Amino acid sequence: MTTSADGQPLIPQPPAMVTALRQAIAQITPAALPAFTRELDQAADQSRQGSGLSPLRRFTAQWAVYVYIQRQPHLAANLRHWEDLAETGGSAQALRAASELGKILDEAHAALTMPQP
């Protein structure tokens, strides 16, 4: 991942549209592209099988949050730290990690649902 020396996001937050998200992921975390494509195919299949657009909306919302976090190196590192602690720590550490991960995800969701100036 490219880093930003001044603590600014690596790229602007793209709109929650498949093409824009794919381009952003290709820039900041290209290793995530296979998962993006696999999950897009699954969401499209679910939509075709009669689920309406909900699977595609969930997909774009999930990946918009991913991009929001990954485009900010400090936030992405913080997320990885808490994910690692959740996997390797004891039960008290795992509970704290779950709480911190929830805060990061809540922040991302809130930022993406706020009206933009």
Side-chain angles (χ1 to χ4, degrees):
M1 176 186 323
T2 308
T3 58
S4 171
D6 60 0
Q8 296 297 312
L10 300 174
I11 61 171
Q13 179 68 33
M17 297 169 48
V18 172
T19 301
L21 292 170
R22 182 184 290 118
Q23 290 170 347
I25 292 165
Q27 279 187 272
I28 58 174
T29 55
L33 283 172
F36 177 89
T37 302
R38 183 177 54 255
E39 291 178 23
L40 174 58
D41 290 346
Q42 290 169 349
D45 287 346
Q46 289 172 354
S47 289
R48 280 190 293 274
Q49 292 170 0
S51 298
L53 294 178
S54 294
L56 289 169
R57 286 187 183 117
R58 267 192 311 276
F59 169 83
T60 56
Q62 172 190 330
W63 282 94
V65 165
Y66 175 84
V67 168
Y68 177 86
I69 293 168
Q70 296 301 317
R71 69 190 188 91
Q72 301 176 71
H74 68 284
L75 192 55
N78 197 22
L79 180 83
R80 282 190 301 280
H81 165 76
W82 292 113
E83 287 174 334
D84 291 345
L85 192 59
E87 289 181 19
T88 61
S91 60
Q93 291 173 320
L95 284 173
R96 170 114 193 268
S99 174
E100 295 300 324
L101 288 166
K103 289 176 188 175
I104 293 169
L105 294 171
D106 287 348
E107 173 191 325
H109 281 281
L112 293 171
T113 57
M114 290 177 57
Q116 301 300 315

